[in-house]
Amino acid sequence: FPKTSHRMIGYFEDEAVKSYTEYLELVENGSVMNIRAPKIAIDYYGLSKKARLSDLIRSVRADEMHHSEVNHSYADNLSKISNLKKSEQKKVAWEKA
């Protein structure tokens, strides 16, 4: 069930975005120290050498947002394809090949 799988993963990613937003709020309000971002994260996300935890959280959250959009988009497209007549499905599959 690819459509269901992509939709479910999209929802998991939506929840990750919410969690990172809550974490960022804790850092921004001082409940969690805004320590320096680790070098591995700076390198991976291309952050400034002076990046802080809040910068890292924003980057990870943006990554999760992108994953969510991609998976929901896949699910939407699979829904559209499954609603087509069989002959139209073959045409769409042929055009994408």
Side-chain angles (χ1 to χ4, degrees):
F1 300 98
K3 179 177 71 171
T4 302
S5 298
H6 284 294
R7 185 69 69 201
M8 184 178 72
I9 296 301
Y11 290 140
F12 288 156
E13 300 291 356
D14 292 342
E15 287 303 312
V17 170
K18 289 178 191 174
S19 295
Y20 283 113
T21 298
E22 291 170 4
Y23 188 26
L24 182 59
E25 288 171 3
L26 292 173
V27 173
E28 288 177 337
N29 74 24
S31 297
V32 173
M33 285 181 51
N34 195 14
I35 61 173
R36 293 190 61 197
K39 184 179 180 334
I40 192 168
I42 289 170
D43 293 344
Y44 183 82
Y45 286 104
L47 301 173
S48 157
K49 291 183 181 192
K50 295 182 179 184
R52 309 299 292 182
L53 177 60
S54 57
D55 301 310
L56 173 57
I57 294 169
R58 284 185 194 94
S59 294
V60 173
R61 183 179 63 179
D63 205 24
E64 300 297 340
M65 281 182 200
H66 175 69
H67 297 161
S68 170
E69 291 166 1
V70 167
N71 278 281
H72 285 302
S73 176
Y74 283 160
D76 291 344
N77 288 335
L78 288 168
S79 288
K80 291 174 188 173
I81 290 171
S82 68
N83 290 333
L84 296 174
K85 295 177 186 173
K86 290 287 183 195
S87 61
E88 292 171 318
Q89 287 179 12
K90 289 178 185 174
K91 180 181 176 189
V92 169
W94 178 257
E95 289 171 354
K96 289 189 177 193

